[in-house]
Amino acid sequence: IALAFARPSSTARTTPAVSKVCREMSSTAVEDTMAAAPETTPESFEDTSSAYRDLISKLRTVTQLQRASAVLSYDQHVFMGNSERTVASRGAQMSALAGLIHEKSTDKAIGELIETASADLASFDGATSDEARILEITKRDYEKNERIPSELAGRKAALSSKANAQWAKARAASDYSLFQDTLKECFDMAAEVATAVRGENTDVPLYTQMLDEFETGMPASRINELFGTIQEALVPLLTKVLQSESKPSVAPLNGHFPIKAQEELSREIVTALGYDGDHGRIDVSVHPFTMSFSPADVRITSRFSEKEWYQGVAGTIHEGGHAMYEQNLNDSGLSIDSALSLGCHESQSLFWERHVGLSKPFWKWATPKLKASFGDDFGYSPEEVYGAVNNVTPGFIRVEADELTYPLHVILRYNIERDIIEGKVDIADVPKKWNEMMKEMIGVDVEKDSDGCLQDVHWSMLAIGYFPTYLLGSATAAQLAHYIKKDIPDFDEKVEKGEFSEIKAWLTNKVHRHGQRYKS
Amino acid sequence: IALAFARPSSTARTTPAVSKVCREMSSTAVEDTMAAAPETTPESFEDTSSAYRDLISKLRTVTQLQRASAVLSYDQHVFMGNSERTVASRGAQMSALAGLIHEKSTDKAIGELIETASADLASFDGATSDEARILEITKRDYEKNERIPSELAGRKAALSSKANAQWAKARAASDYSLFQDTLKECFDMAAEVATAVRGENTDVPLYTQMLDEFETGMPASRINELFGTIQEALVPLLTKVLQSESKPSVAPLNGHFPIKAQEELSREIVTALGYDGDHGRIDVSVHPFTMSFSPADVRITSRFSEKEWYQGVAGTIHEGGHAMYEQNLNDSGLSIDSALSLGCHESQSLFWERHVGLSKPFWKWATPKLKASFGDDFGYSPEEVYGAVNNVTPGFIRVEADELTYPLHVILRYNIERDIIEGKVDIADVPKKWNEMMKEMIGVDVEKDSDGCLQDVHWSMLAIGYFPTYLLGSATAAQLAHYIKKDIPDFDEKVEKGEFSEIKAWLTNKVHRHGQRYKS
């Protein structure tokens, strides 16, 4: 379930340490948070500093081009045909846009405007905190982009394209040996890029630098600690759950469910949660995803199976969580009003998917809707549906994993990629290492590489340091659930009655509208 | 039925005098035409001249951006929601892209590269004719763009936007007085732009210069002659037809026809004609249109009514004709491989709509498909359907007009806009003039402006000189039909059997693949 947002005017991401953000969100700190809320009236400084004005204008142009590129990408994944020539022609369009986005975002004039605007700001009274933060984010991203020479960016793009094709081939043949050499190149390239970006800060560990690309400000040392705690608690809990005699039946999930009815049901549910269908649309695609063209046009896709209805509903709720985040950002067209980090984004999808959509009150509300959609044959009680959707079944595949085993899938990948970068695991040993850990942590025997270390696309896309964001999002979602229940004590009653507006408003107030104003 | 193509790297259009193109297409000239066919292997000159190479690369970048812009536009018309904020956000994306396209296509470096590449070409042996033509088109378009100062382009865009809104308001109120002043501004602005583009060639009549924007090389003097001939023959013919006792019943057109069945039928027909559904898609929109993102992705839209099936089928065939043109251009990403002119484009849609889709052999083939789609209740014979679709019913509205009255609608508009530009008709007298001519030429009494001079969007978009292209296309289609039947003597038999591939191949061979290689 990949994310693809049209991110405003920068490629880098600012991310808080998750636990810190959530501390700031505790109910006792509500007033402070409110007081520090963004003031979106920076006209006075903008009126004063022509450099700042010009800078903002250039950044917004880049944002518009990124949004245009997102439209092309959405069209390709949802509407466009897949003949070779058509795909190639879209590739040429995307590549021309990417070239232009690169040209405009690395424009030397931006560097000069940042300097001048920063000087202007220093001598200006009455600027809001937004302006300083905007300059800070812009400077950081610009300098980072500057540290990656075009030549390196070109080689990276070329490798990613080659590696992706090679990975698909190896996965189809379930033969790691076909991918091993290319995977080595991917890790080497990721290290080269991280080394360039790190620059003179050589005391930053290389893997931490990689993490920073996806979850800015979150060091490997903190993740080690966090994931260690989770693993320590989870493995015995999993064992206990699996040994339990109380096993919910998954029968309510299976049967024959017309796709059309599932689509309408999913739409009804996600709209009730707070997804604004007037400013977006819902489509079907091979892999569910969310894409934002602006807060006024945020689209989600889902996929449906005739034999099992929960995948479609859960996928729509998940993407709906991502989409509500994007829909409720301010629309300044600047990075300050983009999502804080990948982990924070995932916290929004997982909050709705798990802390609402897996709860008993939710199924008290939603089970009658299942009956209305699927007919009287669907004779299960809310309790039975609740049990079924919460079943725990260890398996090989991360994207099919339940709430309890999912973190272990992430921790496994995290350990392997960190150890490769730190030189403790050899690329040749990845399958062996993978299968050992699967057995040890989740208790399953991987029988072929396509069910093991070849299942994920990420490494072939040079997204090394990406996996942890899934689990950070999961942890953040749990923390949000903890604090929202302090602020909304009748949370469960509201869910059971299908009254979600206050819950969505809380998330908007605490998370969405702040964008990247707070740093980690 | 507006056309919106992603035109490669120039805004201007090359167009032949229609009759001349068609003379060149006579069957006796086939071998010559074949001999002069494009050679698409200009590598040798491209290898030699770095200026030419750089120029081509810059032009192709502009083409890709125009194609990207077309994707955004298609999405807006077919998929996007229409809330005010969503529309505004798409507007900002389109506007950023348009700014960039302007910046890249008026880049001073292009002017210099044209000079250098032209000098290189002059001293190069063995260049193909394509290279000279590419430089010629590029130079013409670049110089034309240069003659329109940004300030003027900006005022034009602003007026168009304002006028469009004002026109919609006046049409809704059916009150010409609400539009009159703005329409005056539109004609003045069109004259100002044409004067700028004409530059020192003041012997070119201003209206001819306007026509050149849409049908390059076609002077008003020639259109006067051509349209005069048509009008002279058509008015008495129309009278005769209307007085005839033999009136086909339109009953076969009306009833209740499920939209889904119509959509499938239309898709089946247009695919049989030669539209390549693997390199495009068919959607539904308020106004049918064709849009090309490249020859490998050409999409058409249609609209359907439950009460009348012919509109949907005819609209799909019409757009399919446009789409087959775009699908069968070479994909060089250069203007030389774009449609010759608007009139030539319309000839392709009208050839299929009228010379195939209104013929008796066609309905011998297609009537069984109607029965298959609409069920046994649809009990009409091919002859009855043929009669019904060919009914002649004079009316107020151009876009609803039949084959026989349509030309008169165009001639009326042509006369009015030409006379305004030549100072012979005052803007205030447009409704009076319009209604007089409607009575005189088509025999109907216009009772309100919304059914009269406020029915078309074109003038509010500053598209003055556009209307004639519809009738030029109609005439060209008739000429193509004349010549194809010489080359394919069993044309009717082929149509009756549903064998369209040779017909499409003839159009590709005679028209599509040549792009703009021949000039008027």
Side-chain angles (χ1 to χ4, degrees):
Chain A
I1 302 179
L3 272 178
F5 300 101
R7 295 184 64 86
S9 48
S10 81
T11 47
R13 279 113 199 220
T14 344
T15 308
V18 167
S19 53
K20 178 147 176 258
V21 165
C22 290
R23 272 200 305 278
E24 286 176 2
M25 281 169 188
S26 74
S27 55
T28 55
V30 172
E31 286 71 29
D32 301 338
T33 311
M34 296 292 287
E39 304 263 320
T40 42
T41 49
E43 290 90 337
S44 48
F45 178 60
E46 217 169 320
D47 289 347
T48 308
S49 169
S50 70
Y52 184 75
R53 221 158 44 232
D54 293 351
L55 177 64
I56 295 299
S57 160
K58 280 179 187 291
L59 296 176
R60 285 192 174 130
T61 297
V62 174
T63 298
Q64 297 303 345
L65 297 177
Q66 286 169 325
R67 289 174 172 182
S69 176
V71 177
L72 267 64
S73 176
Y74 191 88
D75 181 85
Q76 173 163 7
H77 286 99
V78 176
F79 303 123
M80 198 182 86
N82 61 0
S83 91
E84 204 174 312
R85 276 173 51 219
T86 311
V87 171
S89 75
R90 179 56 50 90
Q93 293 151 19
M94 299 281 287
S95 156
L97 265 180
L100 226 65
I101 290 167
H102 178 78
E103 177 191 318
K104 295 293 175 189
S105 60
T106 56
D107 183 356
K108 291 281 171 228
I110 290 183
E112 291 156 18
L113 290 170
I114 293 171
E115 293 311 313
T116 313
S118 298
D120 288 351
L121 189 68
S123 63
F124 181 79
D125 282 339
T128 67
S129 58
D130 271 12
E131 289 143 359
R133 180 67 180 146
I134 287 167
L135 287 174
E136 182 182 31
I137 295 173
T138 307
K139 190 177 161 81
R140 179 201 62 201
D141 295 344
Y142 180 78
E143 287 177 351
K144 192 182 146 192
N145 279 336
E146 259 194 330
R147 284 196 214 104
I148 305 178
S150 301
E151 175 274 327
L152 178 56
R155 273 195 293 128
K156 186 183 164 194
L159 175 60
S160 176
S161 168
K162 172 188 126 179
N164 199 255
Q166 193 60 31
W167 164 77
K169 218 163 153 183
R171 189 171 79 151
S174 193
D175 182 354
Y176 178 73
S177 74
L178 293 176
F179 187 46
Q180 181 179 321
D181 292 346
T182 311
L183 184 60
K184 174 93 171 62
E185 288 182 68
C186 292
F187 273 87
D188 289 347
M189 173 67 76
E192 188 178 350
V193 171
T195 305
V197 173
R198 184 173 64 173
E200 288 165 10
N201 303 323
T202 45
D203 50 333
V204 176
L206 214 53
Y207 185 63
T208 291
Q209 185 62 53
M210 292 177 183
L211 290 171
D212 206 68
E213 179 72 22
F214 306 103
E215 200 70 32
T216 307
M218 175 60 81
S221 55
R222 176 79 183 105
I223 296 188
N224 287 339
E225 194 185 334
L226 206 57
F227 285 11
T229 310
I230 292 171
Q231 185 175 349
E232 211 169 298
L234 209 52
V235 174
L237 176 60
L238 179 62
T239 311
K240 200 173 150 194
V241 166
L242 292 177
Q243 284 166 352
S244 163
E245 309 231 319
S246 150
K247 286 207 193 308
S249 160
V250 296
L253 310 182
N254 302 312
H256 184 267
F257 312 98
I259 301 285
K260 190 89 191 153
Q262 289 188 59
E263 279 192 50
E264 279 164 18
L265 172 69
S266 298
R267 183 180 304 270
E268 186 192 344
I269 289 175
V270 79
T271 306
L273 299 182
Y275 172 74
D276 175 2
D278 290 339
H279 295 97
R281 54 178 281 148
I282 306 178
D283 289 294
V284 170
S285 68
V286 181
H287 301 287
F289 65 94
T290 298
M291 201 172 263
S292 169
F293 308 150
S294 84
D297 195 356
V298 183
R299 306 190 186 178
I300 61 183
T301 72
S302 196
R303 63 174 162 192
F304 301 94
S305 150
E306 286 208 321
K307 296 182 183 163
E308 205 269 9
W309 62 266
Y310 181 62
Q311 167 185 278
V313 167
T316 311
I317 294 174
H318 181 97
E319 301 307 329
H322 283 304
M324 284 185 254
Y325 192 176
E326 293 288 326
Q327 287 187 324
N328 293 288
L329 290 163
N330 295 318
D331 190 9
S332 66
L334 299 172
S335 285
I336 195 170
D337 289 311
S338 61
L340 195 55
S341 73
L342 286 179
C344 191
H345 230 306
E346 195 72 8
S347 79
Q348 298 304 297
S349 52
L350 291 177
F351 174 85
W352 289 102
E353 181 190 340
R354 293 185 181 165
H355 299 279
V356 177
L358 286 179
S359 73
K360 200 180 285 183
F362 180 81
W363 289 108
K364 285 190 180 156
W365 171 73
T367 302
K369 295 183 186 301
L370 293 178
K371 286 187 207 289
S373 297
F374 303 144
D376 289 337
D377 283 358
F378 192 87
Y380 299 100
S381 70
E383 287 70 21
E384 286 169 318
V385 176
Y386 166 70
V389 300
N390 279 288
N391 82 86
V392 173
T393 314
F396 309 118
I397 308 297
R398 177 181 59 83
V399 297
E400 294 170 2
D402 53 71
E403 189 181 0
L404 212 54
T405 50
Y406 192 89
L408 301 172
H409 285 274
V410 173
I411 292 171
L412 177 154
R413 286 155 178 78
Y414 167 73
N415 283 328
I416 292 178
E417 63 181 27
R418 181 201 57 205
D419 288 353
I420 292 172
I421 296 297
E422 294 180 356
K424 295 176 191 159
V425 165
D426 193 88
I427 291 281
D429 296 331
V430 167
K432 186 168 152 278
K433 192 86 193 162
W434 184 289
N435 299 349
E436 279 170 14
M437 288 175 81
M438 278 299 284
K439 182 67 183 174
E440 184 189 313
M441 287 163 62
I442 306 184
V444 295
D445 291 299
V446 177
E447 277 158 18
K448 45 186 187 173
D449 292 340
S450 57
D451 283 345
C453 63
L454 291 178
Q455 71 182 267
D456 297 299
V457 70
H458 302 60
W459 289 340
S460 80
M461 296 173 71
L462 300 163
I464 296 161
Y466 188 113
F467 284 121
T469 68
Y470 291 125
L471 185 47
L472 294 174
S474 169
T476 310
Q479 290 174 305
L480 290 169
H482 177 75
Y483 285 109
I484 197 172
K485 285 172 186 173
K486 294 191 182 229
D487 284 354
I488 306 178
D490 58 342
F491 181 90
D492 282 350
E493 289 75 10
K494 285 201 153 41
V495 169
E496 188 174 331
K497 284 190 262 176
E499 291 171 4
F500 302 106
S501 61
E502 206 179 314
I503 297 168
K504 195 200 93 178
W506 188 91
L507 290 169
T508 296
N509 194 37
K510 298 293 185 183
V511 181
H512 307 163
R513 73 189 178 94
H514 299 293
Q516 300 201 1
R517 278 172 186 77
Y518 299 107
K519 70 172 168 182
S520 50
Chain B
I1 304 180
L3 272 178
F5 299 102
R7 296 186 64 86
S9 49
S10 81
T11 49
R13 280 111 199 221
T14 345
T15 309
V18 167
S19 55
K20 181 153 172 252
V21 165
C22 289
R23 272 202 304 279
E24 287 178 359
M25 280 170 190
S26 75
S27 55
T28 54
V30 173
E31 286 72 29
D32 300 340
T33 311
M34 296 291 287
E39 305 261 320
T40 41
T41 48
E43 287 91 338
S44 48
F45 179 60
E46 218 171 319
D47 288 346
T48 307
S49 169
S50 70
Y52 184 74
R53 220 158 45 231
D54 292 351
L55 177 64
I56 295 299
S57 160
K58 280 179 187 290
L59 297 174
R60 285 193 174 130
T61 297
V62 174
T63 298
Q64 297 304 345
L65 297 177
Q66 286 169 326
R67 289 174 173 182
S69 175
V71 176
L72 267 66
S73 176
Y74 190 88
D75 180 85
Q76 174 162 8
H77 287 99
V78 177
F79 303 121
M80 199 182 85
N82 60 359
S83 92
E84 205 174 313
R85 276 172 52 219
T86 311
V87 171
S89 76
R90 179 56 50 90
Q93 293 150 19
M94 299 281 287
S95 156
L97 264 181
L100 227 66
I101 289 168
H102 178 78
E103 177 190 318
K104 294 294 175 189
S105 59
T106 56
D107 183 354
K108 293 281 170 228
I110 289 183
E112 291 156 19
L113 290 171
I114 293 170
E115 293 311 313
T116 313
S118 299
D120 288 351
L121 189 67
S123 65
F124 181 79
D125 284 338
T128 68
S129 57
D130 271 13
E131 288 143 0
R133 180 68 179 145
I134 288 167
L135 287 174
E136 182 181 32
I137 295 172
T138 306
K139 188 176 162 81
R140 179 200 64 201
D141 295 344
Y142 181 77
E143 286 177 351
K144 192 182 145 192
N145 280 337
E146 260 196 329
R147 283 197 215 103
I148 305 178
S150 301
E151 175 275 327
L152 178 56
R155 273 195 293 127
K156 187 184 164 193
L159 175 59
S160 177
S161 168
K162 172 187 125 178
N164 199 256
Q166 193 59 30
W167 163 78
K169 218 162 151 183
R171 188 172 80 151
S174 193
D175 183 354
Y176 179 73
S177 74
L178 293 176
F179 188 47
Q180 182 179 320
D181 292 346
T182 311
L183 184 60
K184 173 93 171 61
E185 288 183 68
C186 291
F187 272 87
D188 289 347
M189 175 64 78
E192 187 179 350
V193 171
T195 304
V197 173
R198 184 174 63 174
E200 289 163 11
N201 304 322
T202 47
D203 50 332
V204 176
L206 214 52
Y207 185 64
T208 291
Q209 184 63 52
M210 291 177 183
L211 290 169
D212 207 66
E213 179 72 23
F214 306 104
E215 201 69 32
T216 306
M218 174 61 82
S221 56
R222 176 81 183 105
I223 295 187
N224 287 339
E225 193 185 334
L226 205 58
F227 285 11
T229 310
I230 292 170
Q231 186 176 349
E232 213 169 295
L234 208 52
V235 174
L237 176 60
L238 180 61
T239 312
K240 202 174 148 195
V241 166
L242 292 177
Q243 285 166 353
S244 164
E245 309 231 319
S246 150
K247 286 206 193 307
S249 160
V250 297
L253 310 182
N254 302 311
H256 185 267
F257 312 98
I259 303 284
K260 191 89 192 153
Q262 290 188 59
E263 280 191 49
E264 279 165 18
L265 171 68
S266 298
R267 183 180 303 271
E268 184 191 346
I269 290 175
V270 80
T271 307
L273 299 182
Y275 171 74
D276 175 3
D278 290 339
H279 294 97
R281 54 179 281 148
I282 306 177
D283 288 296
V284 170
S285 68
V286 181
H287 300 287
F289 66 93
T290 299
M291 201 171 264
S292 169
F293 308 149
S294 85
D297 195 357
V298 183
R299 305 190 186 179
I300 61 183
T301 73
S302 196
R303 62 174 162 194
F304 301 94
S305 150
E306 285 208 321
K307 295 182 182 164
E308 205 269 8
W309 61 266
Y310 182 61
Q311 167 186 279
V313 168
T316 312
I317 294 175
H318 181 97
E319 300 308 329
H322 283 304
M324 283 184 255
Y325 193 177
E326 292 288 326
Q327 286 187 326
N328 293 288
L329 291 163
N330 295 318
D331 190 10
S332 67
L334 300 171
S335 285
I336 195 170
D337 289 310
S338 62
L340 195 54
S341 72
L342 286 179
C344 191
H345 230 307
E346 196 72 7
S347 79
Q348 298 305 296
S349 51
L350 290 177
F351 174 85
W352 289 103
E353 181 190 339
R354 293 185 179 164
H355 299 281
V356 176
L358 287 179
S359 72
K360 199 180 284 183
F362 180 80
W363 290 108
K364 286 191 180 155
W365 171 73
T367 303
K369 294 184 186 302
L370 295 177
K371 287 188 206 288
S373 297
F374 304 145
D376 288 338
D377 283 359
F378 192 88
Y380 300 101
S381 69
E383 286 71 20
E384 286 169 318
V385 177
Y386 167 69
V389 301
N390 279 287
N391 83 86
V392 173
T393 313
F396 309 117
I397 307 297
R398 177 181 59 83
V399 297
E400 294 169 3
D402 53 70
E403 188 180 2
L404 212 54
T405 51
Y406 192 89
L408 301 170
H409 284 274
V410 173
I411 292 172
L412 178 154
R413 287 155 177 77
Y414 167 74
N415 284 326
I416 292 179
E417 62 179 26
R418 182 201 57 204
D419 288 353
I420 293 173
I421 296 296
E422 293 180 357
K424 295 176 191 159
V425 164
D426 193 89
I427 291 281
D429 296 330
V430 166
K432 187 167 151 279
K433 192 84 192 161
W434 185 289
N435 299 349
E436 279 171 14
M437 288 175 81
M438 278 300 284
K439 182 68 182 170
E440 185 188 314
M441 287 164 61
I442 306 184
V444 295
D445 291 300
V446 177
E447 277 159 19
K448 45 184 187 173
D449 292 341
S450 57
D451 282 345
C453 65
L454 290 177
Q455 70 183 264
D456 297 298
V457 70
H458 302 61
W459 289 340
S460 81
M461 294 173 74
L462 300 162
I464 295 161
Y466 188 113
F467 284 122
T469 67
Y470 290 126
L471 185 47
L472 295 174
S474 169
T476 309
Q479 291 173 304
L480 290 170
H482 177 75
Y483 286 109
I484 197 172
K485 285 171 186 172
K486 295 194 181 226
D487 285 355
I488 306 179
D490 59 342
F491 181 89
D492 283 350
E493 289 75 11
K494 284 200 153 39
V495 169
E496 189 174 330
K497 283 189 261 176
E499 291 171 3
F500 301 105
S501 62
E502 207 179 312
I503 298 169
K504 196 201 90 178
W506 188 91
L507 291 169
T508 296
N509 194 37
K510 297 293 185 184
V511 181
H512 306 163
R513 72 189 177 96
H514 300 293
Q516 301 201 2
R517 279 173 184 75
Y518 299 107
K519 70 172 167 182
S520 51

